[in-house]
Amino acid sequence: VNLKKLWKIDEKIKENSTKRVIIVNYENKLLGFIVDSIDEIKWINNDNIKKVEENFIKNKGAIILSDNEISLIIDFKEFDEAINFFNNNIKNQGENNMENEEKLHNEDKNLTKILHFKISNIDLGIEIEKVKEVVELSEITPLPKSPEYIMGVMNLRNSVITIMSLHKRLSITENENNSEINKRVIVLEEKSIALLVDSLEGIKNVELSRNTSEIEDIKIEEKYLKGITTIDNGKLIFILNIEKLLK
């Protein structure tokens, strides 16, 4: 779904600018939304959604983010026409297409969904089920006598979150212009700890390989690796082993 065309918003991004597609599951159908960027991934409580007057977008309401910005929550009824079009086309497909769909479904079972991010231009990933949310970095309070890779703690909606520097944990040199990067914090599901990263690249389904013997230049200690994968014409992503990383 092209949201800008649907809502008649002027296109201001240059044609050669990188865009993202957010894929969601709605009524057992996969929908993709073309967006300019992915800023954050959040879990929100329905009670925190405040009703707002509908304008050009059907919405469920809005929620105030941690930086006091307002985010509009889209009502999926807006896309009923697209869903009906999809349903009608599925019904008209022949048996061959259904077999192809089943084949793709079986192939998907062998894929791992990861959150893809970067530090110092190195592509990294962690399994999506390990992620609770992704938020912007806010003020950090240092912790005395903590390991070098623990930057301190951050207040996140009245919860104390420990911030780990992946650069220092993985012994990776930071870029000179690193301070100018709009950093993100990946909050993990199991513990009150978060990973500081330079940029968020999106969520991807990948085929995970545990064989690193053919990689000549492994920039990450193998004990911290769960596997590797390749995307986008051979780009290498190192998949981190969160359990080993937090020991």
Side-chain angles (χ1 to χ4, degrees):
V1 177
N2 188 319
L3 295 177
K4 290 189 176 181
K5 288 186 177 180
L6 176 67
W7 294 327
K8 298 180 174 59
I9 299 175
D10 292 337
E11 177 66 70
K12 296 180 181 180
I13 304 295
K14 296 180 181 180
E15 291 184 0
N16 60 352
S17 295
T18 301
K19 292 190 176 183
R20 299 285 188 267
V21 175
I22 298 176
I23 300 175
V24 299
N25 188 317
Y26 176 64
E27 294 186 350
N28 295 320
K29 300 295 186 295
L30 293 179
L31 285 176
F33 300 99
I34 299 174
V35 298
D36 295 337
S37 63
I38 300 173
D39 291 332
E40 296 185 21
I41 300 172
K42 280 183 173 291
W43 294 98
I44 60 174
N45 191 319
N46 284 332
D47 295 337
N48 294 334
I49 300 177
K50 308 300 181 183
K51 292 292 184 182
V52 296
E53 183 179 352
E54 288 191 8
N55 39 37
F56 63 96
I57 302 174
K58 292 180 184 178
N59 65 76
K60 298 186 71 172
I63 188 168
I64 299 178
L65 305 178
S66 56
D67 53 4
N68 290 324
E69 291 186 350
I70 296 177
S71 176
L72 198 63
I73 309 299
I74 296 172
D75 189 345
F76 276 99
K77 292 179 180 178
E78 177 85 354
F79 309 105
D80 281 344
E81 183 178 347
I83 293 170
N84 290 334
F85 175 82
F86 178 82
N87 286 337
N88 291 333
N89 277 271
I90 287 294
K91 290 178 181 178
N92 293 330
Q93 286 182 357
E95 292 182 359
N96 289 338
N97 286 344
M98 294 300 290
E99 290 175 1
N100 289 337
E101 183 178 338
E102 184 178 354
K103 181 180 178 181
L104 289 174
H105 177 72
N106 290 333
E107 290 176 354
D108 284 346
K109 292 181 180 179
N110 299 321
L111 298 180
T112 301
K113 186 169 289 187
I114 65 165
L115 179 63
H116 175 201
F117 55 91
K118 285 188 176 184
I119 62 169
S120 297
N121 296 321
I122 298 175
D123 290 274
L124 301 173
I126 57 177
E127 294 164 301
I128 196 66
E129 62 264 24
K130 304 291 186 182
V131 177
K132 183 176 182 180
E133 60 181 316
V134 178
V135 298
E136 289 186 359
L137 177 65
S138 61
E139 183 178 355
I140 296 177
T141 302
L143 284 177
K145 299 182 180 180
S146 60
E148 182 185 13
Y149 55 82
I150 298 298
M151 301 181 65
V153 294
M154 181 181 82
N155 186 305
L156 180 62
R157 297 187 298 276
N158 297 321
S159 295
V160 177
I161 306 295
T162 302
I163 307 299
M164 176 189 290
S165 167
L166 277 183
H167 289 95
K168 292 181 179 179
R169 187 70 171 109
L170 300 174
S171 302
I172 295 175
T173 304
E174 295 191 48
N175 293 333
E176 292 182 0
N177 61 346
N178 210 32
S179 59
E180 301 175 1
I181 297 176
N182 188 14
K183 294 186 177 182
R184 292 288 186 269
V185 173
I186 301 173
V187 183
L188 301 180
E189 184 66 51
E190 296 182 2
K191 299 183 179 180
S192 297
I193 194 164
L195 310 177
L196 182 63
V197 303
D198 293 341
S199 64
L200 184 68
E201 300 298 311
I203 298 173
K204 295 180 173 63
N205 282 323
V206 299
E207 186 173 351
L208 187 62
S209 171
R210 304 185 191 281
N211 181 17
T212 60
S213 59
E214 297 181 359
I215 308 300
E216 295 182 358
D217 183 20
I218 298 182
K219 302 175 182 178
I220 310 294
E221 285 188 67
E222 291 196 48
K223 65 180 180 180
Y224 295 133
L225 289 181
K226 190 158 193 176
I228 55 174
T229 189
T230 54
I231 61 166
D232 301 337
N233 299 323
K235 179 186 290 185
L236 190 65
I237 298 180
F238 297 96
I239 311 301
L240 297 177
N241 187 321
I242 293 299
E243 288 74 17
K244 294 287 182 66
L245 205 64
L246 299 182
K247 280 188 177 180

